[in-house]
Amino acid sequence: MKSKTSFFNKTVFKKNLTRFAPVMAVYTLCLILGMMMLYQINEEMGRTFWFASRIAGNLQLMGLVNLLFAPLVAMLLFGDLYNSRMCNALHAMPMRRETLFLTNVVSGLLFSMLPTAVMALLNATIVENAWQIALLWYVGTNLQFITFFGAAIFSVFCTGNRFAMAVVYAVLNGGAFILYYIINTLYTPMLFGVVTPDRWARLLT
């Protein structure tokens, strides 16, 4: 009889959702409050056009939100790695480390997908003919979260405490801009007529 290997554990998944449900609830509430502030409707522009123009700016704002929310989720789900007793207890259980890792990753993705799904449905319901824009906002916001969440998980596994994790995460996301600033401030002024392009820094930041 072949042994069956699973890369997903339902018990750990449910525990993650119930244990950190308040975080998801607060995040959803903050998104709803932000949407209420967003809906200072200008009737002259038309609902759909106004909604599309506001969503474009909202995506940039959500980038900053995900920049902070993703490492918070990563530290909550993988926080056992920074507690020796909890880490040893979990890894002593008859469960593969790959199973624990992938279960936590799936749980973390839901921390963004569920609240933003609520937002997208509310927006599509309130504004007529705006479901396509709401869908694009949903996809764009979650792609941002996946990017930052991946960097946060990488930082978690590269460090031994939360402070070092935050430092590595900040360097991963802002290191290119910091390097560009140093080059543009110290090195470029010494070269007459030379301008340091910032396109590479924008792509990596």
Side-chain angles (χ1 to χ4, degrees):
M1 184 175 180
K2 295 183 179 179
S3 61
K4 186 176 181 180
T5 302
S6 175
F7 290 91
F8 184 81
N9 188 283
K10 294 181 180 179
T11 304
V12 176
F13 177 73
K14 293 178 180 178
K15 186 65 177 178
N16 288 337
L17 295 184
T18 55
R19 183 183 179 188
F20 302 114
V23 177
M24 190 185 303
V26 171
Y27 182 57
T28 306
L29 180 61
C30 290
L31 290 181
I32 293 175
L33 292 176
M35 183 188 70
M36 294 173 62
M37 296 175 61
L38 190 68
Y39 274 105
Q40 299 174 354
I41 298 176
N42 187 343
E43 296 293 346
E44 296 179 358
M45 296 175 61
R47 284 174 175 263
T48 305
F49 178 78
W50 170 87
F51 180 72
S53 63
R54 285 298 181 92
I55 282 298
N58 183 261
L59 271 177
Q60 296 181 355
L61 177 61
M62 287 303 299
L64 296 176
V65 172
N66 286 320
L67 178 67
L68 301 176
F69 184 62
L72 173 63
V73 174
M75 281 193 288
L76 290 176
L77 294 175
F78 294 94
D80 59 280
L81 296 176
Y82 299 141
N83 187 324
S84 59
R85 172 182 283 182
M86 186 179 296
C87 182
N88 293 333
L90 283 175
H91 291 172
M93 296 175 63
M95 181 171 54
R96 293 163 55 92
R97 295 187 179 184
E98 297 90 337
T99 303
L100 184 61
F101 173 78
L102 290 177
T103 304
N104 287 339
V105 169
V106 174
S107 303
L109 294 179
L110 287 183
F111 274 79
S112 174
M113 291 182 176
L114 292 180
T116 52
V118 173
M119 278 289 296
L121 290 175
L122 287 176
N123 288 325
T125 303
I126 295 174
V127 182
E128 298 178 358
N129 301 323
W131 65 270
Q132 291 180 334
I133 303 172
L135 179 61
L136 289 175
W137 176 85
Y138 176 78
V139 173
T141 300
N142 284 289
L143 286 176
Q144 291 175 349
F145 179 82
I146 290 172
T147 301
F148 292 125
F149 188 53
I153 293 175
F154 180 78
S155 303
V156 166
F157 279 88
C158 285
T159 57
N161 58 69
R162 290 177 173 82
F163 177 76
M165 178 267 174
V167 172
V168 172
Y169 179 76
V171 171
L172 285 177
N173 288 285
F177 178 77
I178 296 173
L179 180 61
Y180 170 78
Y181 178 79
I182 294 174
I183 294 174
N184 198 42
T185 304
L186 300 178
Y187 181 69
T188 304
M190 295 187 295
L191 303 176
F192 181 75
V194 174
V195 177
T196 303
D198 61 347
R199 185 173 181 271
W200 59 273
R202 292 179 180 275
L203 290 175
L204 295 174
T205 304

